[in-house]
């Protein structure tokens, strides 16, 4: 890849303008945990998920990148990727060499600050997921997740499959659907296709019981 000029690299679109486009199918792996870091990515279309393999042999979804977002930029200062990059939907990503990205940051403090802001937002989102997974009750975990995602009218629209939300929360899709059904029976939510309406947004989460 030929590095863009300093003026072109002052924006994310300029930085990735000369990058290599990769067309990916659902289920493909963009990179694997432990691979040497040589590239970062801009998602042009679709969704790609960070999945970390734990010492317990479980896998945890850490973050889902969407169209217009950087992906794997958190690995810029690491020797190896800390997660797998797994394609959720059919996606197009643009790859940029790690060395070119770091050079663009050095040349443009405004670009570096823009990326730092994005990384900070992702870090906050990842911390929120960790806090949610600490909630033992599946019903309480799901309800709190819905409350955090709801708009001002108490509605939550799902971009993808509901089981994607289950993966983010560390639940099986069966446990997630059971929790939704229980919340609907309790009158806490109303479900429709790819949409959930909170009923009484100030209602506290249900009492904690083991999932």
């Amino acid at each position: 890849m030929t590095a863009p000029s300093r003026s072109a690299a002052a924006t994310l679109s300029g930085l990735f303008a000369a990058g290599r486009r990769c067309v990916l199918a659902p289920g493909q792996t963009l990179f694997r945990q432990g691979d040497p870091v040589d590239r970062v990515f801009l998602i042009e279309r679709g969704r790609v998920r960070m999945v970390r393999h734990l010492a317990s042999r479980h896998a945890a979804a850490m973050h889902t990148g969407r169209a217009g977002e950087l992906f794997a930029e958190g690995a810029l200062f690491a020797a190896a990727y800390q997660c797998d990059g797994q394609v959720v939907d059919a996606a197009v990503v643009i790859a940029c060499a790690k060395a070119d990205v770091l050079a663009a940051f050095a040349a443009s403090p405004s670009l570096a600050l823009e990326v730092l802001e994005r990384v900070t937002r992702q870090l906050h989102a990842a911390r929120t997921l960790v806090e949610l997974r600490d909630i033992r009750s599946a019903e309480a975990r799901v309800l709190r997740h819905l409350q955090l995602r709801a708009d001002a009218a108490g509605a939550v629209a799902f971009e993808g499959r509901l089981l994607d939300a289950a993966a983010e929360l560390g639940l099986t899709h069966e446990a997630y659907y059971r929790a939704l059904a229980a919340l609907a029976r309790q009158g806490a939510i109303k479900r429709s296709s790819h949409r959930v309406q909170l009923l009484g947004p100030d209602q506290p989460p249900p009492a904690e019981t083991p999932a």
Side-chain angles (χ1 to χ4, degrees):
M1 168 179 163
T2 301
S5 67
R6 288 193 175 194
S7 58
T11 65
L12 282 177
S13 58
L15 175 59
F16 283 83
R20 182 169 64 88
R21 276 179 170 75
C22 306
V23 180
L24 303 165
Q28 274 192 262
T29 300
L30 187 59
F31 51 81
R32 294 191 181 280
Q33 185 172 326
D35 285 350
V37 176
D38 57 356
R39 298 170 296 167
V40 296
F41 307 89
L42 180 67
I43 302 175
E44 192 172 75
R45 187 174 71 241
R47 293 181 299 151
V48 187
R49 176 172 295 141
M50 289 280 191
V51 177
R52 179 168 295 174
H53 299 280
L54 308 175
S56 63
R57 298 188 179 181
H58 290 89
M62 306 302 295
H63 168 70
T64 301
R66 293 168 171 79
E69 295 182 358
L70 284 177
F71 193 74
E73 72 278 18
L76 278 170
F77 299 98
Y81 294 109
Q82 302 300 304
C83 299
D84 285 357
Q86 295 183 357
V87 180
V88 180
D89 306 319
V92 176
V93 304
I94 308 172
C96 186
K98 172 182 175 177
D100 290 341
V101 176
L102 292 175
F105 287 176
S108 174
S110 62
L111 177 62
L113 284 173
E114 179 185 351
V115 173
L116 177 61
E117 181 183 0
R118 289 170 180 252
V119 172
T120 301
R121 287 200 301 265
Q122 291 180 11
L123 178 60
H124 289 166
R127 286 176 173 170
T128 297
L129 283 180
V130 171
E131 292 169 0
L132 286 170
R133 289 170 185 160
D134 283 341
I135 300 175
R136 294 182 62 197
S137 163
E139 293 170 29
R141 194 184 308 181
V142 170
L143 181 56
R144 183 59 183 151
H145 186 231
L146 293 171
Q147 290 169 339
L148 290 171
R149 292 185 57 172
D151 62 20
V156 181
F158 291 90
E159 297 176 14
R161 301 168 300 173
L162 290 181
L163 61 85
D164 291 336
E168 287 186 350
L169 293 175
L171 296 171
T172 65
H173 66 275
E174 294 90 354
Y176 188 81
Y177 285 122
R178 284 197 301 269
L180 284 178
L183 292 170
R185 287 195 301 271
Q186 295 165 16
I189 65 171
K190 181 179 180 180
R191 293 177 56 193
S192 57
S193 179
H194 291 279
R195 187 179 177 87
V196 171
Q197 177 68 47
L198 294 174
L199 303 178
D202 295 327
Q203 177 180 337
E208 295 244 341
T209 56

